[in-house]
Amino acid sequence: MLALLAGLGFGLSLIVAIGAQNAFVLRQGLRREHVGVVAAICAASDAVLYAAGGAGFGPLVERWPDAVVVMRWLGAAVVLGYGAMAAVRAVKGDTTLAAAEDGALGDSPGRRLKPVVLTTLALTWLNPHVYLDTVMLQGSVAASYGDDRWWFTAGAMVSSVAWFTGLAYGARLLAPVLKRPGAWRVLDGVIALIMLAVAVSLVAA
């Protein structure tokens, strides 16, 4: 139980931060567009990566530095592209929360599912930092727990499920504030800046 709680706290310390993935999940939650699918992809991806770390695959990441470099540049391109789209939305100011004003608990269909899924996968798997955090860092800490390393890893997995579910569905609490296009312009402007900062950090790493 102690290893489980330690993994839960460790996972939250890694994931609760403003970044490209969290910004995207937040926006999808606010728009109620395929919220469950986005949260599930993020949590499932983390579970796979945490399992790899718990199984001791960290050294394999270190042995393939060229692969990390390729992912870094691809990730920077994807993040920068999404940031550019957010910047365009901020300038145009044509985003509203009309799709969610009916108060329905289900997801709004909004955009087609495929581009949302592809964007979620790209922002998750093309970020080299996710491998450093979930596979190498978490894996090394989990290994220190010996036979209880899988309890630690399970706690980290639970933290991802709790965080992405809470972020995606909890975003609806901000709906009253974001009914005006002006508020969305501010949000999209902030998202654009976050994406730019993430892209620069990836290239400069």
Side-chain angles (χ1 to χ4, degrees):
M1 182 59 69
L2 290 178
L4 181 70
L5 293 176
L8 177 63
F10 183 82
L12 289 174
S13 70
L14 291 179
I15 201 171
V16 180
I18 298 176
Q21 185 188 53
N22 283 340
F24 179 74
V25 174
L26 176 63
R27 192 175 194 282
Q28 291 303 116
L30 289 168
R31 298 238 353 128
R32 300 188 184 184
E33 290 178 345
H34 310 298
V35 182
V37 174
V38 171
I41 290 174
C42 292
S45 297
D46 274 4
V48 171
L49 292 166
Y50 281 136
F57 282 93
L60 292 180
V61 176
E62 293 180 318
R63 293 177 187 175
W64 293 337
D66 291 340
V68 175
V69 172
V70 171
M71 286 187 295
R72 178 185 303 155
W73 283 96
L74 287 175
V78 170
V79 170
L80 192 59
Y82 188 80
M85 290 189 292
V88 170
R89 290 194 303 264
V91 172
K92 288 184 176 181
D94 57 356
T95 305
T96 65
L97 203 61
E101 286 182 348
D102 59 359
L105 293 178
D107 293 348
S108 164
R111 290 186 294 167
R112 291 183 297 116
L113 177 61
K114 184 177 179 179
V116 173
V117 169
L118 291 177
T119 301
T120 307
L121 290 172
L123 292 176
T124 300
W125 290 91
L126 292 180
N127 180 5
H129 291 278
V130 74
Y131 299 95
L132 298 177
D133 289 344
T134 59
V135 179
M136 295 180 65
L137 182 56
Q138 185 275 149
S140 63
V141 176
S144 68
Y145 281 81
D147 293 338
D148 290 332
R149 71 182 187 280
W150 287 112
W151 285 107
F152 183 91
T153 302
M157 293 177 179
V158 171
S159 73
S160 289
V161 174
W163 170 253
F164 287 118
T165 301
L167 181 64
Y169 287 99
R172 298 176 178 183
L173 298 176
L174 298 176
V177 180
L178 293 166
K179 285 184 177 179
R180 293 173 294 130
W184 275 92
R185 296 183 73 171
V186 173
L187 177 64
D188 281 324
V190 172
I191 289 177
L193 292 175
I194 291 173
M195 297 296 179
L196 176 61
V198 171
V200 171
S201 69
L202 288 175
V203 173

